[in-house]
Amino acid sequence: MASTLMLRSTTPLVGKFQYAATGRRARALSRPVLAAKGGDSYQKIEQGARNRQGVESYEERKSETDEFLTSPEANRDTEIFGTEVGVADAMRFQGAAPELINSRAAMLGFVLAVVAFSKTQKNIYQQIQGWPLPVFIVFALIAVGTLVPILRGYPRKDFGPFKADAEVVLGRLAMIGIVGLFWLPFVNGFYLYPVNPVVY
């Protein structure tokens, strides 16, 4: 009698869990199809923000590798995590993430490197050598903070006076500036050695 009552009381609960799990599985399986119909990560996240730069030939620049990396087969993580964009799609060479991550890291890194040099007189090599963990943590936070909205399928838009396409332009300039900071210690008159000298 008790076992019968327990079976009757738990049957609706089990049915609810099975229904919820089935619903989540169906939504997860439908995401890759929606992603394929809606375009790849660049089209979803970046193309709208860069239309003012005249990027209309993107489809012509896609290769067979891009076709594979944007396919549902290469982005099974969308089924597991329920994301809109797969990691393989976002992180490919023409994906939405690489240039944006590098741009943001370069802009912040350039400012921090110049400020640190003005305070400590240490060049960029010495700064990385002296504070490797903070440098890694800052870059990791920028990478994660940039990648998460892309994987969730949020298109990049203007934010008040800050223009989405200007961010990429400034990021490219900052990347050139970072290269200059790495080259600067070897210029005559600015001869700080890349690593601390060994004292015997």
Side-chain angles (χ1 to χ4, degrees), residues 63-87:
S63 63
E64 293 182 3
T65 304
D66 290 314
E67 294 293 341
F68 170 73
L69 292 177
T70 57
S71 66
E73 289 76 16
N75 295 277
R76 294 298 183 186
D77 52 300
T78 57
E79 301 177 15
I80 299 173
F81 300 108
T83 53
E84 183 73 16
V85 175
V87 174

Side-chain angles (χ1 to χ4, degrees), residues 60-185:
E60 300 175 2
R61 295 188 286 112
K62 291 182 69 174
S63 63
E64 293 182 3
T65 304
D66 290 314
E67 294 293 341
F68 170 73
L69 292 177
T70 57
S71 66
E73 289 76 16
N75 295 277
R76 294 298 183 186
D77 52 300
T78 57
E79 301 177 15
I80 299 173
F81 300 108
T83 53
E84 183 73 16
V85 175
V87 174
D89 180 4
M91 292 300 295
R92 64 195 172 88
F93 185 74
Q94 294 196 65
E99 185 178 19
L100 197 56
I101 292 174
N102 291 332
S103 295
R104 291 174 176 176
M107 286 188 285
L108 183 59
F110 182 82
V111 173
L112 293 178
V114 171
V115 171
F117 174 76
S118 66
K119 299 292 184 181
T120 65
Q121 298 302 304
K122 292 183 177 180
N123 62 39
I124 192 168
Y125 294 98
Q126 294 169 323
Q127 293 171 25
I128 295 174
Q129 184 187 36
W131 306 295
L133 185 59
V135 171
F136 173 78
I137 291 174
V138 169
F139 182 82
L141 290 176
I142 292 173
V144 172
T146 302
L147 191 58
V148 168
I150 292 175
L151 297 182
R152 298 185 69 178
Y154 295 146
R156 199 163 59 88
K157 300 179 180 179
D158 297 345
F159 182 73
F162 303 101
K163 303 300 181 183
D165 53 352
E167 181 181 21
V168 176
V169 174
L170 294 175
R172 291 171 179 173
L173 293 175
M175 285 188 274
I176 296 174
I178 288 289
V179 172
L181 291 179
F182 278 103
W183 171 75
L184 199 57

